[in-house]
Amino acid sequence: MGRTFLIFLLILSMGVSAQETTYPKEAFRSPLDIPLILAGTFGELRSNHFHSGIDIKTQQREGLPVYAIGNGTITRIKVSLWGYGKVLYVAHPNGYTSVYGHLQKFSPKIEEYIKKIQYAKKSYEVEVFPEYGEIKLEKGEIIAYSGNTGGSSGPHLHFEIRSSISEKPTNPLLYGYEVRDATNPTVVGLYGYPLSENAQLNQSNTKSQINFTRQKDGSFLADKVTALGTIGFGFVGFDRQDLAANKNGVYSVRQVVNGQVYSDYDFESFSFSETRYINTLIDYAHFGKYRQRIQKCFKSPGNHLSIYNKLVNDGKIVVKEGLSYTVELMIYDWEGNLTKLVIPVEGKNQPLKIEEETPKTDNYIVAKRPNNFDLGIAKVYFPANTFYEDFYIDLRKGSDTVMVHNNRVPAHRNFTLTFDVSKYSEAERKQLFIARLDKNSRPSYTSTYKRGNTFTTRTRNLGTYTLARDTVPPTIRTKNFKHKQWLTNYHYLSLTIADDLSGIDTYSATLNGEWILMEYEPKKNTITYNFDDRILDKKQCILKVNVTDNVGNTNTYEVTFYRK
């Protein structure tokens, strides 16, 4: 069965008009001149967000030419240490914008344009919005070279297609790009949830894992579930393309109960304003504990996602005693490959063998209201709608440390944590910062705003926080050259900079007293200067590098080299 026919069937079953799913299939070329093999799919589940594009493998290397997929004009250029790293945004006349991220470098004309701005601002990190038509591009023109900059964990091209009007990203595979995929999605876990008061599932009032086995026709059959009251199901799964081992995200999920569609969602498009609601689609408590994402087939409180095509009773199943139900989970990838999991459910009232009560504490969060708590050395303030649901929050205080619940509850908005530092001297305060402790009690810097006797941080991460002190300045050392070395045939010079506690805040470098652009790669702790940037008119060159950490400790390093 062909992909086009399968998509047509999906459209009919979802009640979506063909007009609403019409995308130009011939307008754009590929951004790369190699077969498209994906390391990440559109809508894939990531930390606190859905993946807004596709990640295209670049043969485990950097420097592949990246092409404009159509005629257009550059509307945005950004260079940042994290996120997309070096990224280009190109607006096309047909109403779409293409995005190219994690680039190694831009094409010569774009590189020249952005470096003028970097030198003018004396900053590696810049973001500019050229006038419409200022930097025009033709379809097939080389605009950059693939890389690994920003938050990338390996060489690849992050590629998006967005609406130029709404800025909503859409699945790039809707535009006619071919990716070989004849492999069905994989399901590795199935879970059932009692959702109403006094509901039960497999003689338990809490989440239960359900076993399933593969059938001769390729589908899966779960062990019979006994239940009563309102229940829901969730699964752990992924998709693989034919030429890659990556565990990518699935395209669509449909839940059918006794022949009726109860829930149906897909990853055709979404908006950036809703992406953090991913934490309501997954079982976040399970993720916090096991680092595994269970996708719910029902809609939880606080879920405002627009990905649903159909919902009956929010995808929740009301099981009545004496009745039987057949629940089918149908999980599709983009090509229409299907994995079907059938769950037989019997309505039966049984004595509970596993009964868990909700842990109660002295403090209770009402999600729709602001909540303020005094923890002695610190105060914590949660604005209204910081959380999706009401819950008992676990708050504990120590001499210099406070525990603000744990990592099993997601925060949708920033909350404020304020420490009283009046007992510390002025000199001590300069080296103090608010740190979040990991499970091994190792501190990591959180942005700390200092005002008088208080230090404040704004964060979405629950956990344990303390005041940490950093007294050691950053380290600086040469990487590919030595002091007083001749670098005549060198194309670049590189140094390593690092800080062992609060982290690096700023860095700068001068060559013979003149500011130069050093490209910073935090993943490798390196800063690099390209000799093509400026013509050196002296044989003896003095390089001076200054690095400051997040509490103000500073180190300066000076080195001499020679160049003809």
Side-chain angles (χ1 to χ4, degrees), residues 282-298:
I282 67 171
D283 182 338
Y284 195 89
H286 183 92
F287 174 71
K289 186 174 183 180
Y290 300 106
R291 311 312 292 175
Q292 182 187 56
R293 294 181 176 92
I294 300 173
Q295 294 189 55
K296 300 174 186 175
C297 299
F298 57 94

Side-chain angles (χ1 to χ4, degrees), residues 62-98:
E62 301 182 37
L64 297 184
V66 177
Y67 301 91
I69 63 171
N71 294 341
T73 179
I74 294 177
T75 55
R76 184 182 179 190
I77 309 171
K78 187 175 182 180
V79 178
S80 60
L81 300 180
W82 304 107
Y84 293 164
K86 295 184 179 182
V87 57
L88 287 175
Y89 298 74
V90 179
H92 304 283
N94 59 0
Y96 295 98
T97 293
S98 54

Side-chain angles (χ1 to χ4, degrees), residues 156-219:
H156 72 276
L157 175 67
H158 174 86
F159 175 63
E160 297 179 21
I161 298 181
R162 304 179 181 181
S163 163
S164 296
I165 298 173
S166 68
E167 296 190 351
K168 287 181 65 174
T170 50
N171 194 324
L173 299 185
L174 293 162
Y175 298 83
Y177 295 113
E178 295 291 335
V179 176
R180 286 179 54 183
D181 186 358
T183 306
N184 294 340
T186 299
V187 177
V188 296
L190 175 65
Y191 295 84
Y193 294 80
L195 298 175
S196 61
E197 189 176 358
N198 299 323
Q200 60 171 269
L201 188 147
N202 286 347
Q203 296 185 271
S204 171
N205 69 346
T206 188
K207 176 184 69 183
S208 300
Q209 187 165 7
I210 303 167
N211 295 323
F212 56 91
T213 54
R214 188 180 184 89
Q215 304 300 293
K216 290 182 179 179
D217 64 357
S219 65

Side-chain angles (χ1 to χ4, degrees), residues 79-337:
V79 178
S80 60
L81 300 180
W82 304 107
Y84 293 164
K86 295 184 179 182
V87 57
L88 287 175
Y89 298 74
V90 179
H92 304 283
N94 59 0
Y96 295 98
T97 293
S98 54
V99 183
Y100 314 78
H102 305 307
L103 303 171
Q104 180 192 62
K105 60 182 179 180
F106 305 117
S107 67
K109 73 175 182 181
I110 303 171
E111 194 80 10
E112 181 182 3
Y113 177 91
I114 200 67
K115 281 194 174 181
K116 284 182 180 178
I117 295 169
Q118 289 173 313
Y119 271 92
K121 294 186 175 182
K122 294 186 177 181
S123 174
Y124 171 64
E125 290 191 280
V126 293
E127 182 175 18
V128 294
F129 299 86
E131 292 292 328
Y132 195 90
E134 184 179 357
I135 309 176
K136 292 182 178 179
L137 302 173
E138 294 184 1
K139 184 176 183 178
E141 179 179 343
I142 294 177
I143 56 175
Y145 296 88
S146 66
N148 186 32
T149 55
S152 171
S153 58
H156 72 276
L157 175 67
H158 174 86
F159 175 63
E160 297 179 21
I161 298 181
R162 304 179 181 181
S163 163
S164 296
I165 298 173
S166 68
E167 296 190 351
K168 287 181 65 174
T170 50
N171 194 324
L173 299 185
L174 293 162
Y175 298 83
Y177 295 113
E178 295 291 335
V179 176
R180 286 179 54 183
D181 186 358
T183 306
N184 294 340
T186 299
V187 177
V188 296
L190 175 65
Y191 295 84
Y193 294 80
L195 298 175
S196 61
E197 189 176 358
N198 299 323
Q200 60 171 269
L201 188 147
N202 286 347
Q203 296 185 271
S204 171
N205 69 346
T206 188
K207 176 184 69 183
S208 300
Q209 187 165 7
I210 303 167
N211 295 323
F212 56 91
T213 54
R214 188 180 184 89
Q215 304 300 293
K216 290 182 179 179
D217 64 357
S219 65
F220 293 89
L221 178 64
D223 293 350
K224 180 181 284 189
V225 171
T226 60
L228 199 67
T230 302
I231 65 170
F233 291 101
F235 73 95
V236 179
F238 59 86
D239 184 49
R240 277 197 174 113
Q241 279 76 48
D242 292 354
L243 301 176
N246 301 72
K247 296 179 179 180
N248 296 329
V250 303
Y251 177 70
S252 68
V253 179
R254 188 185 310 160
Q255 178 185 222
V256 178
V257 182
N258 288 348
Q260 181 182 5
V261 177
Y262 263 52
S263 62
D264 193 315
Y265 65 87
D266 66 44
F267 292 105
E268 176 184 333
S269 181
F270 60 86
S271 67
F272 288 107
S273 63
E274 67 179 318
T275 190
R276 197 173 179 88
Y277 287 109
I278 185 178
N279 293 329
T280 63
L281 178 69
I282 67 171
D283 182 338
Y284 195 89
H286 183 92
F287 174 71
K289 186 174 183 180
Y290 300 106
R291 311 312 292 175
Q292 182 187 56
R293 294 181 176 92
I294 300 173
Q295 294 189 55
K296 300 174 186 175
C297 299
F298 57 94
K299 194 174 182 181
S300 294
N303 181 336
H304 298 294
L305 291 170
S306 64
I307 62 175
Y308 296 96
N309 300 302
K310 188 171 183 179
L311 279 171
V312 173
N313 195 34
D314 283 339
K316 300 170 184 176
I317 306 161
V318 179
V319 178
K320 297 181 179 179
E321 189 170 7
L323 298 182
S324 296
Y325 305 80
T326 299
V327 180
E328 298 171 286
L329 300 187
M330 289 178 281
I331 303 160
Y332 295 89
D333 63 18
W334 161 250
E335 287 289 345
N337 299 307

